[in-house]
Amino acid sequence: DTAVSQTPKYLVTQMGNDKSIKCEQNLGHDTMYWYKQDSKKFLKIMFSYNNKELIINETVPNRFSPKSPDKAHLNLHINSLELGDSAVYFCASSHRPGHDNQPQHFGDGTRLSIL
Amino acid sequence: QQQVKQSPQSLIVQKGGISIINCAYENTAFDYFPWYQQFPGKGPALLIAIRPDVSEKKEGRFTISFNKSAKQFSLHIMDSQPGDSATYFCAASYNKYIFGTGTRLKVLA
């Protein structure tokens, strides 16, 4: 049983295109996240949603738009892709931090390559 | 105050040796300190975690040492094995997670 699943695993596309990454979790968590991991392995938080409500929005270009149709899903849409968007994007979920702290569970990532 | 500083950036250890990774934080509001292990092509996965009311937690070959007064915590991997070669992240959490910058560990056979 996959706890946090994201699709696609690989995404290769041209600069200027629009693409989406989907994420679903079956752990019953109420909080979901998007992270960007660059080539140096730095994990940078992008967004966090709790019960479909945006609670963290780090300094991310507005070309990135998260959407949470329900608390088990958090999708990421990226408009007008740029070369610098090439990275691995991870979805994660947890119970809400600060409320009986629990670990985050990560998907296996989506490797985005911009040509 | 939101940063978690992790060192070293990379580490090479002989098989059977001890691997030590250190993290330091500033914000005393943090109340949960997990360590994550990431293999190539996979997402980070929880390895071991500690809360600030204890000074040490051990699970198998992995031990977290926690020094509340110094605001530091470290991961010790005893009898390091080639299969431990991965990237390790410390993190600290109160109402949000803050990850360290990662340590690439390579254990030589």
Side-chain angles (χ1 to χ4, degrees):
Chain A
D1 283 347
T2 303
V4 180
S5 60
Q6 51 183 113
T7 55
K9 189 171 178 65
Y10 299 97
L11 191 50
V12 181
T13 189
Q14 300 276 354
M15 202 165 52
N17 284 350
D18 303 338
K19 290 293 179 185
S20 292
I21 307 172
K22 295 186 176 182
C23 180
E24 175 181 7
Q25 55 94 5
N26 62 5
L27 296 167
H29 290 154
D30 53 9
T31 304
M32 296 185 71
Y33 312 81
W34 277 111
Y35 287 88
K36 179 180 180 180
Q37 187 173 50
D38 61 22
S39 57
K40 293 184 178 179
K41 297 290 189 180
F42 295 152
L43 265 175
K44 181 181 176 184
I45 181 79
M46 300 175 69
F47 302 102
S48 175
Y49 270 73
N50 177 261
N51 281 323
K52 303 191 297 175
E53 182 180 342
L54 181 66
I55 56 172
I56 293 176
N57 184 353
E58 297 294 318
T59 306
V60 176
N62 58 15
R63 298 182 295 103
F64 291 79
S65 53
K67 283 188 172 51
S68 182
D70 56 60
K71 70 176 188 177
H73 295 82
L74 180 62
N75 304 323
L76 183 65
H77 188 77
I78 315 170
N79 290 326
S80 304
L81 282 157
E82 300 178 356
L83 289 175
D85 297 333
S86 295
V88 181
Y89 292 83
F90 286 100
C91 176
S93 72
S94 74
H95 294 296
R96 183 168 185 158
H99 174 69
D100 189 20
N101 275 308
Q102 294 290 327
Q104 294 191 358
H105 295 254
F106 285 79
D108 282 339
T110 295
R111 182 173 295 276
L112 174 63
S113 299
I114 310 301
L115 303 177
Chain B
Q1 271 211 334
Q2 293 282 48
Q3 283 187 327
V4 175
K5 296 181 180 178
Q6 182 173 346
S7 63
Q9 188 174 353
S10 62
L11 182 60
I12 299 175
V13 173
Q14 293 287 341
K15 180 181 176 181
I18 302 173
S19 304
I20 302 174
I21 304 171
N22 300 299
C23 284
Y25 64 98
E26 289 294 325
N27 191 339
T28 56
F30 290 133
D31 60 2
Y32 180 66
F33 301 88
W35 283 90
Y36 289 81
Q37 181 187 53
Q38 183 182 23
F39 292 108
K42 295 292 186 180
L46 179 72
L47 185 62
I48 187 172
I50 198 168
R51 300 187 192 278
D53 53 348
V54 297
S55 60
E56 185 175 282
K57 183 173 182 180
K58 184 175 180 179
E59 291 183 1
R61 296 184 294 109
F62 301 91
T63 299
I64 299 179
S65 296
F66 187 83
N67 187 328
K68 189 173 181 178
S69 60
K71 290 186 279 188
Q72 295 175 348
F73 58 112
S74 59
L75 175 69
H76 295 237
I77 306 174
M78 311 300 288
D79 187 26
S80 299
Q81 299 296 312
D84 297 330
S85 297
T87 300
Y88 293 80
F89 294 93
C90 63
S93 171
Y94 58 109
N95 65 356
K96 65 187 293 186
Y97 273 79
I98 308 294
F99 281 89
T101 49
T103 297
R104 297 191 197 207
L105 171 66
K106 183 170 185 176
V107 181
L108 302 176

